[in-house]
């Protein structure tokens, strides 16, 4: 068991006092936070996709019951044909940071284990085999997990942003010098 008694969930990282870190430690902390953020972003996208598919299936079932009795396998065909629309990103009204992430399979073992576990929660290949109550329970679990992953991701974003701001401050105020960097010091990330 790891953090909060959830298997496969890493404990929240201890964030050191940024101002007390050496410049190379700041860069390392920022790089690590950005890598973990990318891993969590991948998990979050998996979660959001599964949530969207479950919601679409539950909506379809509700609509089918209201309009007419469901036909065997008709819902699956409709859902399959609607997948591009279900999984498409709608434009966001929320102003996002300019952060660019290249998503790929998680690099960290704990995040890869979480992604693998996600794939076994509800088998999306045969949604018709699951009762609506089972899908609702899975939807609740996935939604709660997505909120938790989003919270951890935001903490990592704040850490990376704080490191970047501290590095900038040190150069601006003369505590760090570009000449030292050019003379063979470690390159910034």
């Amino acid at each position: 068991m790891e953090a909060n008694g959830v298997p496969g969930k890493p404990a929240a990282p201890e964030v050191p006092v940024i101002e007390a870190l050496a410049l190379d430690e700041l860069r390392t902390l920022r790089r690590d936070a950005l890598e973990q953020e990318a891993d969590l972003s991948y998990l979050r996208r998996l979660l959001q996709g599964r949530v969207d598919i479950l919601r679409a299936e539950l909506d379809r079932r509700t609509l089918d019951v209201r309009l007419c009795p469901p036909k065997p396998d008709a819902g699956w065909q409709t859902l399959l044909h609607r997948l591009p629309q279900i999984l498409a990103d709608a434009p966001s009204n929320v102003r996002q940071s300019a952060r660019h992430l290249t998503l790929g399979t998680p690099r960290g073992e704990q995040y890869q284990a979480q992604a693998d576990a996600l794939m076994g929660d509800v088998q999306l290949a045969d949604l018709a085999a699951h009762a609506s109550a089972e899908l609702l329970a899975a939807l609740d679990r996935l939604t709660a997990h997505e909120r938790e992953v989003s919270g951890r991701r935001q903490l990592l974003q704040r850490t990376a942003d704080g490191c970047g701001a501290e590095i900038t401050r040190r150069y601006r105020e003369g505590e760090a010098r570009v000449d030292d960097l050019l003379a063979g010091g470690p390159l910034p990330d």
Side-chain angles (χ1 to χ4, degrees), residues 14 43 45 53 59 79 87 110 132 135 151 166 168 170 184:
E14 291 291 322
L43 280 177
R45 296 298 295 164
I53 290 169
D59 289 347
L79 186 65
L87 297 176
Q110 74 269 22
S132 292
L135 295 181
E166 178 62 15
T168 300
R170 288 183 188 184

Side-chain angles (χ1 to χ4, degrees), residues 65-76:
V65 169
R66 286 186 202 154
L67 298 178
C68 60
K71 298 174 189 164
D73 291 332
W76 175 244

Side-chain angles (χ1 to χ4, degrees), residues 76-98:
W76 175 244
Q77 289 298 324
T78 302
L79 186 65
L80 181 62
H81 288 100
R82 289 187 44 231
L83 272 179
Q85 296 161 330
I86 293 167
L87 297 176
D89 285 333
S92 175
N93 294 333
V94 178
R95 187 171 175 95
Q96 301 287 325
S97 73

Side-chain angles (χ1 to χ4, degrees), residues 15-188:
V15 178
V17 177
I18 288 175
E19 295 80 15
L21 296 176
L23 198 55
D24 60 332
E25 292 172 318
L26 276 171
R27 290 183 180 123
T28 299
L29 179 60
R30 181 180 63 181
R31 184 188 67 243
D32 292 346
L34 290 172
E35 286 176 2
Q36 288 183 46
E37 178 196 358
D39 288 349
L40 285 173
S41 292
Y42 178 85
L43 280 177
R44 188 168 165 261
R45 296 298 295 164
L46 286 176
L47 284 161
Q48 288 172 333
R50 294 177 75 78
V51 163
D52 291 346
I53 290 169
L54 289 176
R55 281 189 180 133
E57 172 61 11
L58 288 165
D59 289 347
R60 184 202 60 80
R61 287 181 184 190
T62 302
L63 187 61
D64 282 352
V65 169
R66 286 186 202 154
L67 298 178
C68 60
K71 298 174 189 164
D73 291 332
W76 175 244
Q77 289 298 324
T78 302
L79 186 65
L80 181 62
H81 288 100
R82 289 187 44 231
L83 272 179
Q85 296 161 330
I86 293 167
L87 297 176
D89 285 333
S92 175
N93 294 333
V94 178
R95 187 171 175 95
Q96 301 287 325
S97 73
R99 186 182 321 276
H100 172 75
L101 291 176
T102 300
L103 294 182
T105 55
R107 292 171 289 270
E109 287 182 31
Q110 74 269 22
Y111 299 115
Q112 185 63 52
Q114 280 186 288
D116 293 344
L118 260 174
M119 294 298 104
D121 190 2
V122 172
Q123 295 300 318
L124 296 180
D126 192 12
L127 288 176
H130 298 283
S132 292
E134 189 179 352
L135 295 181
L136 281 169
L139 181 61
D140 287 345
R141 283 190 310 275
L142 292 173
T143 301
H145 192 56
E146 192 274 335
R147 279 192 304 267
E148 183 268 328
V149 165
S150 290
R152 289 191 297 163
R153 186 171 161 258
Q154 289 170 359
L155 176 62
L156 289 165
Q157 287 172 338
R158 285 192 299 272
T159 299
D161 291 346
C163 289
E166 178 62 15
I167 291 167
T168 300
R169 183 197 66 75
R170 288 183 188 184
Y171 278 106
R172 184 181 59 242
E173 294 181 8
E175 293 176 33
R177 297 175 350 130
V178 174
D179 293 341
D180 294 336
L181 184 63
L182 295 174
L187 292 176

